[in-house]
Amino acid sequence: MKLFKSILVAGVLLTSIANYGQFTDQINSNRPGKSMGAFAVGKKIYQVESGLYYINESHDVRNYDARGFGLDFAARGGFIKEQLEFILEAQFQLDKYSVADSISKSRSGLKQTTFGAKYLFYDPFKKGPAKPNIYSWKANHKISWKQFIPAISGYVGVNYVMKNDYSIPDESVISPKIMLITQHHFGVKWVLVSNIIADKITSNNSNFGSVFTLTRAINEKWAAFVENKAVKGNYYSDGIFTMGATHLLKNNIQVDASISKNIKSTPSLLYGGIGFSWRFDKKHKDIQIKDGKEVKEKKEDKDKNSKGSKSQEELDKAKAKAEKKARKNKPDGDDQPVQETKKKRLDDIEEEKTTP
């Protein structure tokens, strides 16, 4: 029974991906990890992802300590095509910075602001799942090599750096960011996302890195993940490990919690946080896929959908307006009851018959 349920769930998930493109019944969030998934949110889908975190940072050589709180924010939107997504990311931090227990000051400001676009170039599930072989049990239970082929996306963005307590001296105000994204689905429960990143390429703080996130679905509501982020740059290099969990409150709302620790003491980082993701999909229309290609909606179907999308209040107003217009254009005398008109005609006929 358990095996049958797993197969059924897998079939439903794969069918929804194959037939209707990027959009899924449940929210697709990048939180709380630092990696970015390959799939877009979907056309006419808007999504907010945000969270609060606490950070404890110390440096053995410079002998400083910083403790405070921060806010992560991301706004995602799908436009033009189902595979295209635009993303605005920002990070604000407020902490207390002290050196050797003598100098202390409060810091605040935007640590990161990035705007970019992501496009899905290849989706291994677009043509749908393989058809079952009714003649061979072995063929249906052998390893599917298709699951080892990842979805592939590309990302191009622009960093904007404000001059504040967190900015690096002589750092470029605007710098580019590019990224290669892959996403593997191993069966129903396991997902591996990888990001290869070149960030702030033209800046003094240019760096190259990678992020690998492995997620496992525990049940329909809960999922857990582990993540490794590596950074190699002119100003900062490090390795950061993160673990956390997500919980699905509704199909469009997800909450999360995570904790992270790096491998260095120059500086040493420890931070954890909680957050949420919220999807707004009222304007979304399913994009049907046939033989791996998007089926364009016919004009008649668009007209039907546009009519069907009106609220009951709008329909009632339109009906009242039409009735008012009909009464206004009606000639005088036409508002007599039909039965009264018929009776008058019958009386006239009887009177003509009796008249000599």
Side-chain angles (χ1 to χ4, degrees):
M1 185 68 182
K2 189 175 181 181
L3 176 62
F4 174 77
K5 186 178 178 181
S6 299
I7 295 172
L8 181 62
V9 172
V12 172
L13 290 175
L14 290 175
T15 301
S16 63
I17 293 173
N19 290 335
Y20 299 105
Q22 304 288 291
F23 184 78
T24 55
D25 291 335
Q26 297 177 344
I27 187 172
N28 163 28
S29 176
N30 290 326
R31 284 192 59 84
K34 297 300 181 183
S35 65
M36 186 180 293
F39 292 95
V41 291
K43 191 176 179 180
K44 294 184 179 180
I45 298 291
Y46 310 99
Q47 191 162 307
V48 174
E49 302 174 7
S50 186
L52 291 170
Y53 65 86
Y54 169 79
I55 184 168
N56 187 341
E57 179 181 345
S58 60
H59 202 292
D60 287 350
V61 176
R62 297 182 180 179
N63 200 23
Y64 74 79
D65 182 81
R67 297 181 184 183
F69 296 89
L71 173 69
D72 287 320
F73 176 82
R76 305 169 60 186
F79 301 94
I80 304 173
K81 298 190 71 175
E82 193 79 359
Q83 301 90 339
L84 181 63
E85 175 184 316
F86 292 92
I87 310 159
L88 173 64
E89 298 174 289
Q91 184 183 57
F92 177 86
Q93 188 166 308
L94 173 66
D95 62 31
K96 187 175 182 180
Y97 178 87
S98 58
V99 180
D101 297 327
S102 58
I103 302 173
S104 179
K105 69 173 183 177
S106 296
R107 304 186 302 179
S108 63
L110 284 169
K111 293 189 70 175
Q112 173 191 343
T113 306
T114 309
F115 178 75
K118 177 178 67 177
Y119 187 82
L120 179 68
F121 291 104
Y122 178 73
D123 180 3
F125 301 108
K126 195 169 185 180
K127 293 185 178 180
K131 295 181 180 180
N133 190 329
I134 61 175
Y135 301 105
S136 174
W137 181 92
K138 184 177 180 180
N140 290 326
H141 290 79
K142 69 179 182 179
I143 296 176
S144 175
W145 296 105
K146 186 177 182 178
Q147 66 181 343
F148 295 97
I149 303 174
I152 302 173
S153 290
Y155 171 90
V156 177
V158 176
N159 297 294
Y160 175 70
V161 177
M162 296 182 66
K163 299 298 180 181
N164 54 36
D165 294 326
Y166 302 106
S167 59
I168 298 170
D170 301 324
E171 185 177 14
S172 300
V173 177
I174 296 176
S175 59
K177 178 179 181 179
I178 59 175
M179 183 164 35
L180 175 66
I181 306 167
T182 65
Q183 182 168 330
H184 294 79
H185 290 258
F186 301 112
V188 181
K189 296 184 176 181
W190 295 91
V191 177
L192 176 63
V193 174
S194 64
N195 295 172
I196 307 299
I197 309 165
D199 196 11
K200 299 184 178 180
I201 304 169
T202 60
S203 172
N204 293 334
N205 190 24
S206 63
N207 62 81
F208 299 89
S210 62
V211 185
F212 295 94
T213 307
L214 181 63
T215 304
R216 187 186 189 279
I218 300 172
N219 53 42
E220 293 181 356
K221 298 291 184 180
W222 287 93
F225 78 97
V226 291
E227 180 178 274
N228 172 246
K229 179 180 179 181
V231 181
K232 179 67 176 177
N234 298 329
Y235 186 82
Y236 175 71
S237 299
D238 206 346
I240 302 173
F241 291 90
T242 304
M243 61 185 300
T246 63
H247 177 64
L248 194 69
L249 290 178
K250 295 181 179 181
N251 283 342
N252 287 347
I253 303 176
Q254 172 191 290
V255 293
D256 60 73
S258 64
I259 185 169
S260 301
K261 182 71 178 72
N262 71 333
I263 60 176
K264 295 175 60 177
S265 60
T266 54
S268 174
L269 299 173
L270 175 64
Y271 54 93
I274 57 174
F276 73 95
S277 303
W278 197 335
R279 181 176 70 178
F280 305 91
D281 58 3
K282 289 185 178 180
K283 293 185 178 181
H284 175 76
K285 294 179 182 179
D286 288 332
I287 306 299
Q288 189 174 2
I289 304 296
K290 185 176 181 181
D291 298 329
K293 296 182 179 180
E294 181 178 325
V295 178
K296 292 185 178 180
E297 192 176 13
K298 294 180 180 179
K299 186 177 179 181
E300 296 82 4
D301 296 334
K302 287 183 179 180
D303 294 338
K304 289 180 181 178
N305 290 333
S306 62
K307 290 179 181 178
S309 61
K310 291 183 178 180
S311 65
Q312 186 62 41
E313 185 179 354
E314 290 173 331
L315 292 173
D316 292 340
K317 286 182 178 179
K319 183 179 178 181
K321 187 177 180 181
E323 290 176 352
K324 185 177 180 181
K325 185 177 180 181
R327 286 195 300 269
K328 187 177 180 181
N329 296 333
K330 211 172 191 181
D332 295 339
D334 286 353
D335 55 347
Q336 293 181 357
V338 177
Q339 295 294 333
E340 185 178 345
T341 304
K342 287 183 177 180
K343 185 178 179 181
K344 186 177 180 181
R345 288 178 180 176
L346 289 173
D347 292 342
D348 292 341
I349 293 172
E350 291 293 333
E351 185 178 349
E352 289 177 0
K353 287 182 178 180
T354 55
T355 302

